[in-house]
Each structure stands twice: as C-alpha cells, then as structure tokens.
Amino acid sequence: MRVPAPADVHLDAAQYDAELVRAAANVSWEEPVDSIARLLALELAEADCFERWDCDVLSIRPQRAGAPRVEVYFGRRGAAWSPGTTVERRPAVRPDGHGQRPP
C-alpha cells in the first residue's frame, strides 16, 4: 500500500545519504547463503578470470530451497542471455544452521 508523504516532510540530503550507507553496511540480517553470495560477488568483481575467458557474470543467486547454495550464471560477453554454466558454492554450515564449519 502506498501512502503519500505529508507535504511538511523534508529530508536532509546528507542525512539521507548517511542512512543509505548505514543500511547498506548492515549485514546482520544475512543467512550464511546470503553472505556467501555477497562475498562471492565481491570476489568475482575483482577476479580477472572472466575477462580472460571473454565472459560476464550474469547473475549470482542465493538459493534456499533444498540444500542452501549459491548459483552463479555467466555467459559470453555480448551474447544474448541464456542460462549459462552454473557454478555452485555450498555454504559450510552445520545442519542446525549456526553458520559454523562442520568438523
């Protein structure tokens, strides 16, 4: 449901920008699969392997149905989108979900 903002509401641009930065830095809500997807995206952005292979990352998707996993889709640079090769990274978490590596 959308509710129009009252006419007397004013936002300070600097405060708004600071709140956006604060909200983006808060990852406390993440489950392990979300953290893996975020960190994998950062790592792949820095890696040069896709440039060497003339590929682009199309999407990185955390999946929660069944065993948690992260799917990475990539394809040839400039090619029309199609489901590319999927690389799976399974989170190393205990079955109880506490986010610790198994022994």
Side-chain angles (χ1 to χ4, degrees), residues 3 10 12-13 15 29 31-32 34 39 44 47 58-60 67 73 77 80 83 86 89 93-94 96-97:
V3 178
H10 301 281
D12 177 81
Q15 287 176 324
W29 59 271
E31 295 179 21
D34 299 307
L39 295 172
L44 290 176
L58 302 174
S59 68
I60 298 174
Y73 295 90
R77 194 167 280 158
T86 303
R89 299 286 186 255
V93 296
R94 297 186 331 208
D96 62 9

Side-chain angles (χ1 to χ4, degrees), residues 1-9:
M1 171 165 68
R2 291 184 163 216
V3 178
D8 61 342
V9 172

